[in-house]
Amino acid sequence: EAGVAQSPRYKIIEKRQSVAFWCNPISGHATLYWYQQILGQGPKLLIQFQNNGVVDDSQLPKDRFSAERLKGVDSTLKIQPAKLEDSAVYLCASSPGTSSYNEQFFGPGTRLTVL
Amino acid sequence: ELKVEQNPLFLSMQEGKNYTIYCNYSTTSDRLYWYRQDPGKSLESLFVLLSNGAVKQEGRLMASLDTKARLSTLHITAAVHDLSATYFCAAAGTALIFGKGTTLSVSS
């Protein structure tokens, strides 16, 4: 079974530029998560989708971050404009269930550096 | 609001000795996860603890859960170099809340 796929793996941009990340979850997984992991910290949930609907986006900085999950499969996370503090690893995870109690499977992440 | 604290944040271990990582969480959570993360890599699931008193073991690692004390422990038996990594615990509430991680370094 293929795991969670993410691209690109690395991205370097200058502040005020825009960037987009892509995630393909495990086939059949209803729930998709985007996490931000700043160096030296644990992952922090940004947004949770169930199928193509948003379940929780309370921690998403909506003035600059946006995310969508078209057709309930792939998802993109966009930052526009980027700030220095957005430098982090962005992890995508998927789960077969719809609750935070269901095990999540993580992708390799996208490491973003904002200069 | 669910909060998760791990300690220690850094642990320098000697090969062959035993160590314990502690994970405290602030409100009720009946599911506790332990993950391993190698540098530059993603999170690898180690254990899922589902109920009070749950104990799981894999190789030199053993995890336990005490829901009354809101405490999980990850015990390392006879540390070896291959265990060098960062270990995260995460408690399930309305979302999965992670601790800051414990970075283990094993030296001979």
Side-chain angles (χ1 to χ4, degrees):
Chain A
E1 180 182 79
V4 177
Q6 290 187 247
S7 68
R9 294 294 312 280
Y10 305 92
K11 190 74 177 179
I12 301 174
I13 62 173
E14 295 189 348
K15 60 183 179 183
R16 291 187 289 273
Q17 286 187 322
S18 62
V19 65
F21 313 129
W22 173 83
C23 173
N24 180 240
I26 293 172
S27 178
H29 280 197
T31 306
L32 184 148
Y33 307 83
W34 283 102
Y35 288 86
Q36 180 191 58
Q37 185 178 18
I38 292 173
L39 186 64
Q41 297 184 22
K44 183 186 82 170
L45 179 68
L46 292 175
I47 189 167
Q48 176 186 347
F49 291 95
Q50 182 179 324
N51 297 312
N52 61 348
V54 175
V55 174
D56 182 358
D57 65 355
S58 58
Q59 299 299 308
L60 188 72
K62 298 181 187 64
D63 57 334
R64 297 183 302 105
F65 286 64
S66 64
E68 61 181 5
R69 190 183 184 196
L70 297 177
K71 301 180 181 178
V73 182
D74 293 4
S75 177
T76 57
L77 176 69
K78 296 179 181 178
I79 308 174
Q80 182 179 14
K83 293 185 175 182
L84 296 176
E85 58 260 36
D86 298 332
S87 293
V89 175
Y90 291 84
L91 295 166
C92 179
S94 69
S95 170
T98 58
S99 163
S100 63
Y101 285 84
N102 296 117
E103 187 172 5
Q104 298 178 25
F105 299 84
F106 286 82
T110 297
R111 182 176 298 275
L112 174 67
T113 302
V114 182
L115 303 175
Chain B
E1 180 188 354
L2 177 58
K3 294 184 179 180
V4 177
E5 287 191 4
Q6 282 181 244
N7 67 83
L9 296 183
F10 298 94
L11 188 52
S12 181
M13 306 189 294
Q14 287 187 326
E15 274 189 338
K17 293 195 174 180
N18 302 333
Y19 298 88
T20 301
I21 303 170
Y22 299 90
C23 174
N24 290 92
Y25 53 96
S26 60
T27 64
T28 300
S29 175
D30 292 329
R31 189 163 294 200
L32 195 292
Y33 297 86
W34 284 96
Y35 290 90
R36 169 178 171 148
Q37 187 175 42
D38 290 286
K41 306 287 187 179
S42 190
L43 297 165
E44 174 192 353
S45 179
L46 294 175
F47 301 109
V48 180
L49 301 169
L50 302 179
S51 60
N52 188 43
V55 177
K56 289 196 173 179
Q57 183 163 5
E58 180 73 34
R60 301 176 186 275
L61 301 178
M62 183 176 71
S64 64
L65 178 62
D66 181 345
T67 58
K68 294 180 181 178
R70 297 176 184 163
L71 171 69
S72 180
T73 60
L74 182 65
H75 187 72
I76 300 146
T77 301
V80 292
H81 183 73
D82 286 352
L83 293 178
S84 296
T86 299
Y87 294 80
F88 292 94
C89 66
T94 53
L96 196 58
I97 306 298
F98 285 82
K100 288 188 175 181
T102 299
T103 298
L104 304 186
S105 176
V106 182
S107 59
S108 52

